[in-house]
Amino acid sequence: MARLGVNIDHVATVRQARNTYEPDPVWAATLAELAGADGITVHLREDRRHIQERDVRLLRETVHVKLNLELACEAGVLEIACRLKPDQATLVPERREEVTTEGGLDVVANRQQVHDAVSQLRAAGIVVSLFIDPVAEQVEAAAASQAEAIELHTGCYALATGSRQAAELARLIEAGRLARQRGLILNAGHGLNYQNVGPVAAIAEMDELNIGHSIVARAVMVGMDRAVREMKALLSPIV
Ligand code: PXP
C-alpha cells in the first residue's frame, strides 16, 4: 500500500495572503497526522511565498511521522535542510515565476550540482529523493547520483485525458520499474487528486505519494481530518 505524504504548503499560502499567523501549517500537520497521514511535506521556496523557515523548524519538533522537505539545489536552503534535518529531502527545480513546480529536476544536465547536493544532504543523515520526469535517462542519472529515492512527476498524467492518460500512466509504470531495478525507493506526486490517484497508487512497489493542493482544497470544505481520511482510503487496495 502506498503511503500518503500530505503537502501543507497551501495552508501557508492562505496565511501569507494576509501576512498573519493563521491558518498555521503546524496545526494542519497535526490534524493530518492524527487523521492518518504517513508523512508531512513542505516546500521551502527561495521566495518564501508560502512555507517559512520558522514553519520547518516547528514542524521538525512537532511532526512524528516522516517529514519531507522539498528544496532546490541552492546553497542557502541546503544549509537550512542540513541544520534542521528533515527525515527526507526532495530536490526539485525552482523558477521564481512558476505557479508550482512545473517539471522534474534535470539530473542529466546538472549531474555535478545534483551529486554535490545529494552528498551534502546524505552527510547530514537525510534520505534524499529526486523529483524527476518519468524518463529512463533521468532515472539512470538519479541512480548514479547516489540518491536513495526518486519521486516521479505525475503532472503530465494528471493533466492528460482519455488514451493520453493511459499512455502517461504507462510511462510512470515503466520509469517506476526501472527505478526499482536500480534499487531506488519509488515515490510519486504532483497534480494527484481524488479522481486520478487510484492507478498511480496501484503502481508496483510505490512507496509514497505526495499530495497537496487537492487535499488542502477539500479540507477547506470538509475539514482536514475528513480530507486526509478520504485520500488515505483511496490509497488502500480494495480487498
Ligand atoms: N511533489 C512535489 C515535488 C511538488 O513540488 C509538489 C507541489 O509542491 C507536490 C508533490 C504536490 O503537488 P500537488 O499540490 O499538485 O498535489
Side-chain angles (χ1 to χ4, degrees):
M1 187 175 96
R3 287 185 277 199
L4 174 61
V6 177
N7 180 317
I8 53 171
D9 289 350
H10 294 308
V11 175
T13 300
V14 176
R15 177 189 62 189
Q16 296 311 114
R18 286 294 170 93
N19 206 11
T20 177
Y21 69 92
E22 63 181 357
D24 194 322
V26 176
W27 305 340
T30 301
L31 291 172
E33 188 171 329
L34 288 171
D38 301 295
I40 300 295
T41 294
V42 288
H43 185 176
L44 188 63
R45 294 187 71 104
E46 197 191 346
D47 62 12
R48 303 292 194 270
R49 70 173 69 157
H50 39 52
I51 293 294
Q52 308 297 308
E53 184 178 336
R54 164 266 183 208
D55 301 329
V56 185
R57 205 168 51 241
L58 289 181
L59 289 167
R60 179 59 295 178
E61 284 184 26
T62 54
V63 168
H64 300 290
V65 288
K66 177 174 172 179
L67 180 63
N68 175 34
L69 178 66
E70 296 175 0
L71 72 162
C73 290
E74 188 265 320
V77 83
L78 281 166
E79 183 276 314
I80 293 170
C82 290
R83 183 159 37 84
L84 297 182
K85 297 197 193 308
D87 301 294
Q88 177 175 286
T90 301
L91 291 172
V92 301
E94 212 175 277
R95 286 201 305 275
R96 259 172 200 276
E97 63 279 11
E98 69 192 359
V99 175
T100 179
T101 317
E102 280 164 6
L105 190 65
D106 191 347
V107 188
V108 175
N110 300 286
R111 279 177 195 272
Q112 193 59 50
Q113 188 190 29
V114 173
H115 182 270
D116 292 350
V118 170
S119 303
Q120 190 180 341
L121 291 162
R122 287 194 63 173
I126 301 164
V127 171
V128 184
S129 179
L130 304 182
F131 182 56
I132 57 171
D133 291 325
V135 172
E137 296 73 42
Q138 297 293 347
V139 176
E140 296 286 10
S145 79
Q146 305 297 319
E148 290 106 321
I150 57 161
E151 179 175 330
L152 290 178
H153 191 321
T154 51
C156 290
Y157 162 81
L159 288 174
T161 53
S163 63
R164 202 52 241 150
Q165 190 168 54
E168 290 295 343
L169 181 63
R171 289 179 69 210
L172 292 167
I173 292 169
E174 202 47 50
R177 190 177 297 133
L178 180 60
R180 293 297 301 132
Q181 279 169 5
R182 295 291 178 266
L184 291 159
I185 297 166
L186 178 60
N187 305 324
H190 208 280
L192 296 175
N193 60 32
Y194 296 81
Q195 287 72 42
N196 66 21
V197 74
V200 178
I203 292 176
E205 300 188 77
M206 181 59 71
D207 191 68
E208 165 188 291
L209 298 180
N210 284 301
I211 308 179
H213 185 266
S214 66
I215 292 178
V216 173
R218 184 168 293 213
V220 169
M221 299 297 163
V222 305
M224 184 59 85
D225 185 84
R226 188 168 145 193
V228 172
R229 284 179 199 279
E230 288 178 2
M231 186 59 84
K232 266 290 271 191
L234 293 170
L235 267 50
S236 317
I238 298 152
V239 282

